[in-house]
Amino acid sequence: MLPESVANQIAAGEVVQRPASAVKELLENTIDAGATEVKLVIKDAGKTLIQVIDNGCGMSERDARMCFERHATSKIQTANDLLSIRTLGFRGEALASIASVSQVELKTKKFEDEIGTRLIIEGSEVKSHKPVSSPNGTSIQVKNLFFNVPARRNFLKSNTSELKYILDEFFRVALVHPDVAFTMYNQEKVMFQLPSANLRQRIVALFGPNFNQRLIPVEQHTSMVNISGFVGKPEFAKKTRGEQYFFANGRFIRNPYLNHAVEAAFQELIAKDSFASYFLYLELDPGNIDINIHPTKTEINFTDSKSIYVILQAAVRQALGKYNLTTVLDFEQEQSMEIPPLKPGEAVRQPEIRVDPDYNPFERKKEFQPSIRFENPGNNSALTGKGWNTAIPARQTGTIPTSPLTGHIDKLMEGKELGLDFTHSDIASPLFQIANSYILTETPKGLLVIDQQSAHERILFEEMLEAGAGVPGLRSKIMPETLSFSPDDAILLKDLLNEFQALGFELSEFGNNDFILQSIPLDLGHTDFMGAVEQALEAIKNELPGKDAGKPQVIARSMARSAAIKRGKSLRKEEMEAIYEKLFTCKIPELSPFGKPSFFILSFDELSKKFKT
Ligand code: ADP
Ligand code: MG
């Protein structure tokens, strides 16, 4: 029989390859112990010291001794538990392995105990085991890792490399447990101080404040898997495989297949040699995971990876679409995306999400070509309905508004992109309203159907943001109106006056929770401003701290909804024409600011199919 210490060393070779592996095991134990505050102290890249201090459940005197025995885990009762186990460590060999190749000092105390325990072990040998006064929780110091296995010690890389491995592990744990506060000290200096936070805040705390504006939330619930987290906006994709994180049931995993699903979702949105960042969390029934096929447990497999692939890809696509980066998504279908588990041999069905294959997000910002003139400005005399802005401002700097429709021209040049070829004439085909909600007209590609409400929300939303960008002619003076708020809304509003100002609302304090409104963005003529501002404040309050689209955006979105023409309202001809015109000068005409489609085209092909027998 092998002496226990040798068995431990052999096991250690599997569990503890380098300081980072010890860090991973120690950090995971703090999470299993229910800690809310964890400190990680590193010296010489963990070669001289790794210390982990937590405020978790602590250990009794007996447990303190037992935890260094192999398979002394408190976490498995029967072999069946292996399948359903959700805690991080479940093999019960980490501490035994670590103690076999280092000098360990453990101090621990359970909350309910008077006194704690201090244990010193060197190369599996207990050197001291005493009661000690100690705070609740556990502190483990691992000194001189591999002091008794010189071959291993020599095999370690430079401090820079080893520290990098440690940080990788630290990040992975910190990203799964944003609610746990972590502090990391390197060479006695604080390297990371991560307060308890939500996931977005945690990502920002780890990767820097720039990340805040880069994140697009992903959220998809299905019976097979729940997916949540963030993907990076395509425009921030990097040339190096940077921040790419998958977690399954709270563990960092590597899975090239799933990575491919995400890459596929980003296809055409980022350059071929760039990589999107992602922080994606999968929650699924542990029965659907092949666990423990690799000792460090990062390479895991799913029993039904194909379905997970499809769901993941769709979830990312949908998130990108919601943020207006991809187009023509069928939102109705996506709401209830449910994929039943596949039977063996059954083919994977793609969820019904249609993406325009010709769409190219990089083609959107074409400069206006001054040489192209709008041929027939006389045609648009109808755009003078009351309360409607007849001036369509130029969008890019350097464009000169030569006619009310100038801003339209660059859009006309891009008409292809939307499957709309306006170049023949302007509004050649008449516009119809049906159901007091939809505007219909013929285009060269087919029947265009505009949802008047979503379209108008889009128009107002972009106009407000442009008013903020200083586009002239987008504000109008009104008869000053006094708005009175509840005291707490008034406090909130005072903080937001700059944001409102930036959107074209001249709103100022008037004392006593009253405010005075003197000018507004154009086109908001008939709005109930009191109600609209209250709605906007509500929207700000409801905005989750992690989900900030930017306050001006949140306000503009809400104001646009309040002020927009609603479905069910009968429109005059010139009102329809104004919507039609302005919608297609918008930057993102195809979606309302809430991500609802604002128009679609029923192609002649689709039409003719309807009549085939
Ligand atoms: P495992 O985590 O797989 O059970 P470990 O060797 O990592 O095995 O830990 C052995 C046991 O020691 C755990 O099951 C747990 O009971 C106890 N333990 C380890 N670390 C801590 C800690 N920070 N706080 C409380 N208990 C701990
Ligand atoms: Mg463990």
Side-chain angles (χ1 to χ4, degrees):
M1 263 263 297
L2 284 171
E4 181 72 3
S5 63
V6 176
N8 283 341
Q9 277 190 29
I10 291 169
E14 221 189 300
V15 182
V16 192
Q17 291 103 12
R18 51 177 13 104
S21 2
V23 168
K24 170 181 193 275
E25 296 294 339
L26 295 176
L27 288 178
E28 290 186 343
N29 281 347
T30 70
I31 301 296
D32 289 345
T36 59
E37 257 176 67
V38 176
K39 290 195 179 80
L40 169 65
V41 182
I42 297 295
K43 278 190 193 143
D44 302 321
K47 293 172 189 172
T48 28
L49 176 73
I50 299 165
Q51 181 175 16
V52 173
I53 305 162
D54 70 55
N55 65 350
C57 64
M59 287 177 259
S60 66
E61 197 215 325
R62 184 174 171 277
D63 289 347
R65 175 65 196 91
M66 287 297 293
C67 75
F68 293 102
E69 300 286 337
R70 218 138 53 92
H71 306 299
T73 178
S74 56
K75 295 165 197 165
I76 313 179
Q77 306 307 330
T78 71
N80 269 346
D81 279 0
L82 267 174
L83 279 177
S84 59
I85 204 104
R86 267 177 186 271
T87 58
L88 298 164
F90 52 84
R91 293 147 42 97
E93 22 185 42
L95 287 185
S97 302
I98 292 168
S100 73
V101 291
S102 67
Q103 299 156 337
V104 172
E105 178 180 338
L106 166 75
K107 276 193 214 162
T108 186
K109 180 174 109 58
K110 285 168 95 77
F111 177 78
E112 59 269 31
D113 289 348
E114 286 288 302
I115 192 100
T117 305
R118 177 167 175 266
L119 196 74
I120 294 180
I121 300 193
E122 282 178 19
S124 299
E125 240 178 79
V126 179
K127 298 277 175 182
S128 157
H129 185 176
K130 285 189 194 142
V132 68
S133 89
S134 129
N136 295 327
T138 302
S139 156
I140 300 188
Q141 288 190 317
V142 176
K143 291 182 217 162
N144 304 318
L145 190 65
F146 302 132
F147 78 104
N148 52 353
V149 200
R152 280 226 160 239
R153 202 171 165 88
N154 294 337
F155 157 88
L156 294 179
K157 297 189 184 159
S158 70
N159 282 6
T160 318
S161 301
E162 293 297 337
L163 183 63
K164 168 85 177 64
Y165 290 124
I166 289 175
L167 289 179
D168 284 346
E169 298 296 349
F170 176 68
F171 274 44
R172 290 167 190 174
V173 176
L175 281 170
V176 182
H177 303 283
D179 51 321
V180 176
F182 291 92
T183 315
M184 192 234 165
Y185 301 83
N186 181 41
Q187 306 296 73
E188 293 173 349
K189 285 207 198 79
V190 175
M191 199 169 181
F192 288 96
Q193 175 118 44
L194 311 173
S196 169
N198 63 28
L199 178 58
R200 179 188 280 267
Q201 293 161 336
R202 175 58 50 93
I203 292 172
V204 169
L206 284 170
F207 299 98
N210 288 341
F211 259 79
N212 196 24
Q213 43 149 347
R214 299 186 185 179
L215 301 174
I216 300 173
V218 177
E219 192 83 54
Q220 186 68 64
H221 299 278
T222 67
S223 53
M224 177 180 288
V225 60
N226 288 335
I227 299 172
S228 63
F230 295 95
V231 292
K233 291 184 183 165
E235 59 265 39
F236 295 105
K238 297 203 280 192
K239 296 275 181 228
T240 54
R241 213 174 261 282
E243 291 72 48
Q244 299 194 325
Y245 292 90
F246 281 122
F247 301 94
N249 292 353
R251 269 185 230 169
F252 172 81
I253 59 161
R254 283 176 223 278
N255 193 304
Y257 189 58
L258 292 189
N259 177 64
H260 188 271
V262 177
E263 278 179 358
F266 269 93
Q267 216 172 30
E268 288 155 36
L269 292 175
I270 59 177
K272 287 257 176 319
D273 54 350
S274 300
F275 300 94
S277 46
Y278 54 81
F279 308 87
L280 292 168
Y281 297 73
L282 282 61
E283 283 290 332
L284 63 175
D285 187 326
N288 290 328
I289 302 183
D290 284 343
I291 48 160
N292 216 18
I293 53 172
H294 187 277
T296 59
K297 294 171 270 179
T298 59
E299 266 97 41
I300 71 161
N301 259 325
F302 302 99
T303 43
D304 187 356
S305 355
K306 271 192 187 161
S307 298
I308 291 175
Y309 181 102
V310 173
I311 295 168
L312 178 64
Q313 184 186 349
V316 174
R317 261 270 171 220
Q318 180 179 352
L320 292 170
K322 273 200 180 145
Y323 275 70
N324 301 340
L325 294 156
T326 60
T327 187
V328 203
L329 293 169
D330 187 341
F331 285 84
E332 308 283 300
Q333 294 274 356
E334 285 168 328
Q335 295 311 330
S336 57
M337 191 173 70
E338 265 300 318
I339 299 185
L342 294 180
K343 296 181 192 78
E346 193 183 349
V348 180
R349 270 166 293 139
Q350 283 283 0
E352 298 232 3
I353 293 182
R354 292 196 297 273
V355 177
D356 178 359
D358 295 330
Y359 174 67
N360 180 347
F362 298 109
E363 261 178 15
R364 205 166 270 290
K365 293 203 180 92
K366 272 196 199 124
E367 285 295 319
F368 169 58
Q369 313 265 307
S371 61
I372 299 161
R373 286 261 172 280
F374 185 67
E375 296 295 342
N376 191 4
N379 228 8
N380 96 82
S381 56
L383 283 169
T384 45
K386 241 197 179 161
W388 290 88
N389 172 23
T390 56
I392 296 171
R395 276 162 193 277
Q396 266 85 40
T397 39
T399 55
I400 317 132
T402 53
S403 86
L405 288 173
T406 302
H408 197 178
I409 293 178
D410 39 355
K411 207 73 219 178
L412 299 189
M413 304 323 294
E414 297 178 51
K416 255 195 318 107
E417 163 193 347
L418 297 169
L420 296 172
D421 183 1
F422 292 99
T423 43
H424 298 269
S425 66
D426 188 42
I427 307 172
S429 310
L431 300 170
F432 297 95
Q433 189 188 29
I434 60 167
N436 281 341
S437 299
Y438 308 105
I439 303 167
L440 272 55
T441 192
E442 181 186 348
T443 74
K445 282 282 171 76
L447 174 68
L448 169 69
V449 182
I450 298 174
D451 176 320
Q452 65 189 42
Q453 182 175 334
S454 290
H456 199 212
E457 285 174 5
R458 163 57 57 187
I459 294 164
L460 296 178
F461 175 72
E462 291 202 6
E463 282 186 355
M464 274 183 258
L465 292 174
E466 295 211 336
V471 175
L474 276 178
R475 291 180 197 207
S476 63
K477 289 267 178 217
I478 53 164
M479 281 288 292
E481 202 178 310
T482 312
L483 312 177
S484 310
F485 295 90
S486 67
D488 47 332
D489 276 0
I491 292 170
L492 181 59
L493 183 54
K494 273 178 211 168
D495 270 353
L496 295 170
L497 287 180
N498 282 341
E499 277 83 359
F500 274 95
Q501 181 79 29
L503 296 172
F505 297 89
E506 206 181 319
L507 188 63
S508 41
E509 271 189 82
F510 199 55
N512 264 345
N513 308 327
D514 288 347
F515 294 79
I516 191 152
L517 181 64
Q518 283 170 300
S519 67
I520 55 166
L522 283 181
D523 271 7
L524 295 188
H526 303 294
T527 310
D528 154 26
F529 286 105
M530 186 62 222
V533 174
E534 270 176 347
Q535 286 282 314
L537 294 178
E538 205 48 40
I540 289 279
K541 286 183 228 164
N542 291 336
E543 190 69 3
L544 300 174
K547 288 206 170 179
D548 61 339
K551 282 179 188 161
Q553 275 81 359
V554 174
I555 295 169
R557 201 158 60 190
S558 169
M559 296 298 280
R561 166 151 292 178
S562 299
I565 290 178
K566 304 292 179 290
R567 289 180 202 98
K569 182 173 183 300
S570 154
L571 298 181
R572 284 173 294 136
K573 178 166 169 275
E574 54 271 29
E575 290 175 322
M576 288 192 269
E577 283 172 357
I579 289 187
Y580 174 87
E581 283 301 327
K582 291 182 185 177
L583 179 62
F584 294 106
T585 66
C586 282
K587 290 186 183 129
I588 302 168
E590 56 272 49
L591 295 173
S592 86
F594 294 90
K596 292 249 165 61
S598 51
F599 72 88
F600 69 87
I601 293 172
L602 185 62
S603 73
F604 294 122
D605 270 2
E606 288 168 84
L607 265 180
S608 71
K609 269 185 212 138
K610 300 248 179 231
F611 296 106
K612 286 218 176 92
T613 46

